Amino acid sequence: DAGITQSPRHKVTETGTPVTLRCHQTENHRYMYWYRQDPGHGLRLIHYSYGVKDTDKGEVSDGYSVSRSKTEDFLLTLESATSSQTSVYFCAISEGTGVGGGYTFGSGTRLTVV
Amino acid sequence: GENVEQHPSTLSVQEGDSAVIKCTYSDSASNYFPWYKQELGKRPQLIIDIRSNVGEKKDQRIAVTLNKTAKHFSLHITETQPEDSAVYFCAGWDTGRRALTFGSGTRLQVQP
């Protein structure tokens, strides 16, 4: 398939609990991204990574942290889940050199915070 | 950072008609503008892209045009078919973040 997998595909969690979503790629791409998708907002950037241990914040990073200890894995953690973080989360990879390149998206994780 | 606005939010056309979706961007240094199609419950998939040194690009029934001076770009779908029904997203490359900024999406419905 696309060489990128997300886990879990669906998760229901309680308010206040920590949650970690995983993105795994087999393409050896340098760039990895986490977006959230909400109706009327399109896809909004949460965090991104240029390489191992090299990460930065996107436009909606509050309440989220990331880690990238290996090229193939990019983890997104909701430190203390809130109902406003109910969303569909997409990971994306890009082989671009930083001057603009297309993404390949994972299948998404549907997260519900109750 | 980059800001991308997309219109319309919904678009309904008859099968065989053309559809046009328009986007504007704010980062004058932005050099890459892809379009993604997302079917219900699926991941977004790249359908066409254009770089700032090109004014138009075609791939069968789809085409994208770019006006750098006005900072807008458009997706054109001709001879629409029911399978074109989906949500379409435009995006612009944020040169500061080295990431894509997406528009809010257009839901295209092609009526048989």
Side-chain angles (χ1 to χ4, degrees):
Chain A
D1 201 354
I4 175 173
T5 55
Q6 290 184 234
S7 58
R9 291 295 309 277
H10 303 272
K11 186 171 182 64
V12 180
T13 192
E14 293 187 348
T15 299
T17 60
V19 178
T20 295
L21 309 182
R22 181 183 185 232
C23 179
H24 178 77
Q25 61 146 330
T26 57
E27 304 295 322
N28 200 35
H29 287 344
R30 180 180 170 191
Y31 293 85
M32 299 185 76
Y33 306 88
W34 278 107
Y35 286 82
R36 60 178 289 175
Q37 183 174 30
D38 305 289
H41 291 279
L43 294 143
R44 292 182 292 174
L45 183 64
I46 306 171
H47 280 280
Y48 54 107
S49 172
Y50 306 138
V52 173
K53 298 185 179 178
D54 191 357
T55 64
D56 209 342
K57 296 179 179 180
E59 64 176 306
V60 291
S61 60
D62 287 348
Y64 302 94
S65 62
V66 289
S67 67
R68 192 168 178 199
S69 59
K70 298 185 291 185
T71 298
E72 57 265 35
D73 290 324
F74 192 29
L75 304 180
L76 176 70
T77 297
L78 287 67
E79 294 144 7
S80 177
T82 68
S83 58
S84 65
Q85 294 176 312
T86 292
S87 187
V88 179
Y89 292 85
F90 283 100
C91 177
I93 60 175
S94 174
E95 63 179 333
T97 58
V99 294
Y103 290 175
T104 300
F105 283 92
S107 298
T109 295
R110 183 173 295 276
L111 177 68
T112 303
V113 183
V114 298
Chain B
E2 175 79 291
N3 182 48
V4 176
E5 295 192 355
Q6 183 172 347
H7 301 280
S9 57
T10 61
L11 180 60
S12 182
V13 300
Q14 291 295 124
E15 182 177 358
D17 288 350
S18 296
V20 180
I21 303 170
K22 299 182 179 181
C23 291
T24 61
Y25 63 96
S26 62
D27 183 356
S28 57
S30 188
N31 61 355
Y32 177 68
F33 306 94
W35 287 86
Y36 287 82
K37 176 183 180 182
Q38 186 179 30
E39 297 175 348
L40 190 62
K42 301 288 183 64
R43 72 186 82 189
Q45 294 201 302
L46 179 69
I47 55 171
I48 194 168
D49 56 13
I50 191 167
R51 296 198 177 271
S52 57
N53 58 348
V54 175
E56 183 176 6
K57 184 177 179 181
K58 290 183 180 181
D59 183 3
Q60 299 182 342
R61 295 187 297 107
I62 60 173
V64 57
T65 59
L66 172 65
N67 184 325
K68 287 175 57 179
T69 303
K71 290 193 282 188
H72 67 70
F73 56 112
S74 301
L75 178 71
H76 304 255
I77 306 174
T78 59
E79 302 173 17
T80 54
Q81 301 168 2
E83 51 265 39
D84 294 329
S85 296
V87 178
Y88 291 81
F89 293 98
C90 63
W93 184 253
D94 184 325
T95 53
R97 289 200 172 113
R98 289 178 282 167
L100 289 172
T101 297
F102 287 84
S104 54
T106 297
R107 182 173 300 278
L108 173 65
Q109 290 184 304
V110 180
Q111 308 290 345

mmCIF file of all heavy atoms in Angstrom, chain B residues 2 11 16 31 40 69 76 89 95 103 107:
data_model
loop_
_atom_site.group_PDB
_atom_site.id
_atom_site.type_symbol
_atom_site.label_atom_id
_atom_site.label_comp_id
_atom_site.label_asym_id
_atom_site.label_seq_id
_atom_site.Cartn_x
_atom_site.Cartn_y
_atom_site.Cartn_z
ATOM 1 N N GLU B 2 1.631 30.723 6.082
ATOM 2 C CA GLU B 2 0.723 30.682 4.943
ATOM 3 C C GLU B 2 -0.724 30.609 5.399
ATOM 4 O O GLU B 2 -1.043 29.946 6.384
ATOM 5 C CB GLU B 2 1.082 29.441 4.092
ATOM 6 C CG GLU B 2 0.158 29.159 2.911
ATOM 7 C CD GLU B 2 0.441 30.046 1.715
ATOM 8 O OE1 GLU B 2 0.165 31.257 1.829
ATOM 9 O OE2 GLU B 2 0.935 29.533 0.687
ATOM 10 N N LEU B 11 -20.411 22.331 -3.801
ATOM 11 C CA LEU B 11 -20.619 22.537 -5.224
ATOM 12 C C LEU B 11 -21.370 21.335 -5.778
ATOM 13 O O LEU B 11 -20.936 20.198 -5.601
ATOM 14 C CB LEU B 11 -19.266 22.694 -5.925
ATOM 15 C CG LEU B 11 -19.244 22.917 -7.438
ATOM 16 C CD1 LEU B 11 -20.007 24.193 -7.804
ATOM 17 C CD2 LEU B 11 -17.798 23.008 -7.939
ATOM 18 N N GLY B 16 -21.315 15.398 -16.439
ATOM 19 C CA GLY B 16 -20.923 15.911 -17.750
ATOM 20 C C GLY B 16 -20.560 17.383 -17.744
ATOM 21 O O GLY B 16 -19.871 17.860 -18.660
ATOM 22 N N ASN B 31 5.737 28.166 -3.219
ATOM 23 C CA ASN B 31 6.133 27.702 -4.548
ATOM 24 C C ASN B 31 5.509 26.381 -4.964
ATOM 25 O O ASN B 31 5.853 25.828 -6.011
ATOM 26 C CB ASN B 31 7.658 27.581 -4.599
ATOM 27 C CG ASN B 31 8.174 26.579 -3.583
ATOM 28 O OD1 ASN B 31 7.427 26.035 -2.780
ATOM 29 N ND2 ASN B 31 9.471 26.319 -3.629
ATOM 30 N N LEU B 40 -15.331 9.653 1.138
ATOM 31 C CA LEU B 40 -15.897 9.495 2.469
ATOM 32 C C LEU B 40 -15.204 8.370 3.236
ATOM 33 O O LEU B 40 -15.127 7.235 2.760
ATOM 34 C CB LEU B 40 -17.398 9.224 2.369
ATOM 35 C CG LEU B 40 -18.168 9.263 3.674
ATOM 36 C CD1 LEU B 40 -18.094 10.655 4.297
ATOM 37 C CD2 LEU B 40 -19.623 8.850 3.460
ATOM 38 N N THR B 69 0.624 36.516 -9.550
ATOM 39 C CA THR B 69 0.434 37.936 -9.256
ATOM 40 C C THR B 69 -0.747 38.146 -8.319
ATOM 41 O O THR B 69 -0.671 38.903 -7.348
ATOM 42 C CB THR B 69 0.220 38.724 -10.560
ATOM 43 O OG1 THR B 69 1.345 38.510 -11.414
ATOM 44 C CG2 THR B 69 0.049 40.205 -10.277
ATOM 45 N N HIS B 76 -9.834 22.650 -12.084
ATOM 46 C CA HIS B 76 -10.884 22.524 -13.086
ATOM 47 C C HIS B 76 -11.083 21.037 -13.385
ATOM 48 O O HIS B 76 -10.123 20.343 -13.727
ATOM 49 C CB HIS B 76 -10.487 23.251 -14.376
ATOM 50 C CG HIS B 76 -10.147 24.692 -14.193
ATOM 51 N ND1 HIS B 76 -10.984 25.717 -14.572
ATOM 52 C CD2 HIS B 76 -9.055 25.285 -13.649
ATOM 53 C CE1 HIS B 76 -10.414 26.880 -14.268
ATOM 54 N NE2 HIS B 76 -9.255 26.655 -13.702
ATOM 55 N N PHE B 89 -9.419 19.335 -1.420
ATOM 56 C CA PHE B 89 -8.651 20.296 -0.641
ATOM 57 C C PHE B 89 -7.532 20.878 -1.489
ATOM 58 O O PHE B 89 -6.794 20.126 -2.143
ATOM 59 C CB PHE B 89 -8.005 19.633 0.581
ATOM 60 C CG PHE B 89 -8.974 19.161 1.616
ATOM 61 C CD1 PHE B 89 -9.378 17.840 1.671
ATOM 62 C CD2 PHE B 89 -9.482 20.044 2.562
ATOM 63 C CE1 PHE B 89 -10.264 17.394 2.634
ATOM 64 C CE2 PHE B 89 -10.372 19.612 3.528
ATOM 65 C CZ PHE B 89 -10.776 18.283 3.567
ATOM 66 N N THR B 95 6.565 28.306 3.443
ATOM 67 C CA THR B 95 8.020 28.280 3.328
ATOM 68 C C THR B 95 8.696 28.410 4.693
ATOM 69 O O THR B 95 9.837 27.982 4.852
ATOM 70 C CB THR B 95 8.509 29.405 2.410
ATOM 71 O OG1 THR B 95 7.976 30.658 2.871
ATOM 72 C CG2 THR B 95 8.038 29.173 0.989
ATOM 73 N N GLY B 103 -6.614 24.430 2.547
ATOM 74 C CA GLY B 103 -7.880 25.131 2.560
ATOM 75 C C GLY B 103 -8.909 24.315 3.329
ATOM 76 O O GLY B 103 -8.639 23.183 3.739
ATOM 77 N N ARG B 107 -16.926 20.329 -0.900
ATOM 78 C CA ARG B 107 -17.650 19.082 -1.129
ATOM 79 C C ARG B 107 -18.304 19.158 -2.491
ATOM 80 O O ARG B 107 -19.214 19.960 -2.701
ATOM 81 C CB ARG B 107 -18.692 18.854 -0.042
ATOM 82 C CG ARG B 107 -19.460 17.536 -0.205
ATOM 83 C CD ARG B 107 -20.363 17.259 0.993
ATOM 84 N NE ARG B 107 -19.613 17.158 2.235
ATOM 85 C CZ ARG B 107 -18.985 16.078 2.641
ATOM 86 N NH1 ARG B 107 -19.014 14.982 1.894
ATOM 87 N NH2 ARG B 107 -18.330 16.068 3.796
#
